[in-house]
């Protein structure tokens, strides 16, 4: 029977935001077929907003507001939308040769999320569960994860949310009209949690580091092999990673969620324009939680007739028919339906 292969542990310490994302991107891009699995541990030196590989930051963020707050906006090679990374927030990345992943990113997510769940449970969090590519605690999202393939390497990344300053993140978001952020804030508080909220005291970074080390040892049956991060390798990986990220900047990008924001997999806030002015809604699961229309007469009808309904065209048409002009019923029901279909698309 062959001996278990120890994953290689590389500790980057505390690094600037752009350096951190470039480092794991470069590691993945430079991966060779014979390389073992490597675990990169890093702590973001500064608070920043990280946008997804194909996300258009100008559509989803208030870039001028971010600059006024001195909050860098940094693209990552992983998928998903904008996420807040707090200063001194611990992150980990798994880097493997792509040919060892028989099920592609599915296997990578299973491995990485399994380790993250083990860490959170070790630290005392209860009711931890995986939902798609997110990790939830007691019905709220506490961690998002991402993965990417770069050249011959694959990378999984996640960060442990010790403390989530919802108001600071909110100030970084694009606000299509006054009042939009007032809807997003309670949705954030309801749908996102952090370790400080779930535990009597948030663990320090060493506790997260030790728990991840223990989870790796349990998962692979052997302790990780700590290897110093050679300065030459680090410099080469950062340089390569910056090139990969620059290529992403030049590629076609789009809004992570058209006309809205994903709070978690079950909660979205939207705002769109229509013939009756601005239309805003909060979709929770498969129901309309809140709705607002800029035109008071139409807003009154929507408040009375669509709260709690599925945001689907036929359902909305059936409930609004006879209460508004047919052309408005069609437009409102179709617009809401398109937004909802967009978030249901895998």
């Amino acid at each position: 029977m062959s001996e278990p292969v120890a994953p290689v542990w590389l500790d980057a310490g505390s690094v600037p935001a752009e350096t951190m994302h470039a480092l794991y991107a470069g590691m993945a891009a430079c991966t060779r077929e014979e390389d073992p699995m490597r675990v990169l541990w890093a702590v973001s030196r500064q608070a920043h907003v990280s946008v997804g590989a194909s996300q258009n930051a100008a559509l989803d963020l208030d870039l001028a507001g971010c600059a006024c707050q001195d909050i860098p906006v940094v693209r990552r090679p992983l998928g998903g939308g904008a996420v807040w990374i707090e200063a001194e927030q611990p992150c980990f990345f798994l880097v493997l040769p792509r040919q060892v992943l028989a099920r592609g990113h599915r296997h990578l997510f299973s491995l990485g999320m399994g380790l993250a769940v083990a860490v959170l449970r070790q630290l005392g969090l209860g009711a931890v569960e995986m939902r798609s590519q997110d990790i939830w605690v007691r019905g709220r999202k506490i961690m998002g994860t991402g993965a990417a393939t770069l050249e011959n390497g694959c990378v999984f990344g996640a960060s442990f949310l010790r403390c989530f300053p919802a108001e600071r993140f909110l100030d970084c978001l694009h606000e299509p009209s006054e009042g939009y952020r007032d809807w997003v804030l309670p949705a954030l508080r309801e749908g996102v949690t952090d370790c400080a909220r779930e535990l009597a005291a948030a663990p320090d970074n060493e506790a997260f580091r030790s728990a991840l080390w223990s989870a790796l040892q349990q998962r692979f049956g052997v302790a990780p092999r700590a290897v110093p991060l050679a300065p030459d390798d680090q410099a080469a990986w950062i340089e390569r990673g910056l090139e990969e990220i620059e290529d992403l900047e030049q590629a076609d990008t789009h809004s992570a969620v058209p006309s809205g924001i994903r709070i978690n997999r079950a909660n979205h806030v939207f705002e769109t324009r229509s013939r009756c002015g601005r239309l805003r809604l909060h979709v929770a699961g498969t129901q309309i939680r809140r709705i607002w229309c800029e035109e008071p007469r139409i807003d009154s009808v929507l408040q009375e007739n669509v709260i709690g309904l599925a945001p689907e065209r036929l359902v909305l048409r059936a409930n609004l028919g006879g209460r508004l002009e047919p052309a408005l019923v069609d437009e409102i029901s179709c617009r809401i339906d398109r937004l909802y279909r967009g978030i249901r698309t895998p």
Side-chain angles (χ1 to χ4, degrees):
M1 181 178 295
S2 60
E3 292 293 325
V5 178
V8 172
W9 178 281
L10 299 168
D11 191 339
S14 179
V15 293
E18 186 178 49
T19 298
M20 182 178 73
H21 294 287
L23 180 55
Y24 67 78
M27 281 181 63
C30 295
T31 297
R32 301 164 300 182
E33 291 186 4
E34 66 272 18
D35 283 336
M37 189 186 88
R38 290 168 291 171
V39 182
L40 176 68
W41 175 263
V43 174
S44 176
R45 188 175 299 167
Q46 60 199 135
H48 66 281
V49 175
S50 172
V51 295
S54 59
Q55 183 179 11
N56 188 319
L59 292 177
D60 292 344
L61 300 178
D62 178 357
L63 296 180
C66 292
C68 287
Q69 295 185 78
D70 197 26
I71 299 297
V73 176
V74 182
R75 187 172 303 281
R76 64 183 184 275
L78 311 176
V83 296
W84 177 271
I85 306 293
E86 182 71 334
E88 300 305 310
Q89 184 167 327
C91 309
F92 78 97
F93 308 92
L94 309 179
V95 180
L96 297 88
R98 63 187 301 180
Q99 79 275 0
V100 306
L101 297 172
R103 291 181 290 137
H105 287 180
R106 284 182 58 198
H107 176 80
L108 192 54
F109 276 112
S110 177
L111 174 60
M113 294 178 69
L115 291 169
V117 166
V119 168
L120 295 176
R121 287 174 176 166
Q122 282 187 58
L123 296 175
L125 278 80
V128 183
E129 60 179 319
M130 303 182 199
R131 296 190 187 179
S132 186
Q133 296 170 10
D134 297 335
I135 296 173
W136 292 46
V137 172
R138 283 190 277 272
R140 295 184 176 92
K141 176 181 173 181
I142 196 169
M143 175 183 285
T145 66
T149 297
L150 299 166
E151 298 293 338
N152 291 320
C154 290
V155 56
F156 166 93
S159 59
F160 295 106
L161 198 54
R162 297 178 63 230
C163 179
F164 176 55
E167 292 84 355
R168 291 192 72 192
F169 179 57
L170 188 73
D171 289 342
C172 294
L173 300 179
H174 170 64
E175 185 174 38
S177 72
E178 185 177 357
Y180 175 77
R181 289 176 179 167
D182 294 336
W183 280 42
V184 174
L185 182 58
L188 282 173
R189 287 175 170 161
E190 177 185 342
V192 179
T193 191
D194 56 32
C195 291
R197 184 176 180 179
E198 298 297 330
L199 297 169
D204 60 21
N205 285 355
E206 181 55 35
F208 282 104
R209 187 183 187 279
S210 297
L212 179 59
W213 182 282
S214 176
L216 285 162
Q217 184 169 1
Q218 184 175 8
R219 170 63 177 78
F220 291 96
V222 62
R225 179 166 58 92
V227 174
L229 188 54
D232 289 347
D233 287 341
Q234 182 170 347
W237 290 335
I238 291 172
E239 181 179 3
R240 178 61 181 277
L242 290 173
E243 293 174 357
E244 294 286 341
I245 292 172
E246 178 60 27
D247 288 345
L248 294 174
E249 290 284 357
Q250 303 306 317
D252 291 336
T253 57
H254 52 79
S255 180
V257 176
S259 302
I261 180 174
R262 174 181 287 115
I263 305 299
N264 56 37
R265 303 294 297 185
N267 284 271
H268 299 76
V269 177
F270 299 102
E271 183 166 318
T272 186
R273 287 185 177 274
S274 69
R275 288 176 53 200
C276 53
R278 292 188 178 274
L279 186 66
R280 185 185 303 151
L281 69 154
H282 175 191
V283 175
T286 59
Q287 295 183 335
I288 295 174
R289 171 78 64 81
R290 298 177 69 185
I291 194 164
W292 167 81
C293 180
E294 195 171 16
E295 187 1 86
R297 177 181 68 88
I298 298 173
D299 180 59
S300 177
V301 173
L302 296 178
Q303 297 293 339
E304 293 176 1
N305 294 282
V306 306
I307 302 297
L309 295 182
E312 298 175 351
R313 181 173 59 89
L314 295 180
V315 174
L316 295 171
R317 285 182 63 184
N319 282 269
L320 293 175
R323 295 178 171 89
L324 293 172
E325 296 86 338
L328 285 177
V329 171
D330 284 343
E331 177 165 355
I332 291 170
S333 60
C334 286
R335 285 184 179 274
I336 292 176
D337 185 88
R338 280 199 297 270
L339 294 172
Y340 183 53
R341 288 179 184 275
I343 65 177
R344 289 190 298 164
T345 301

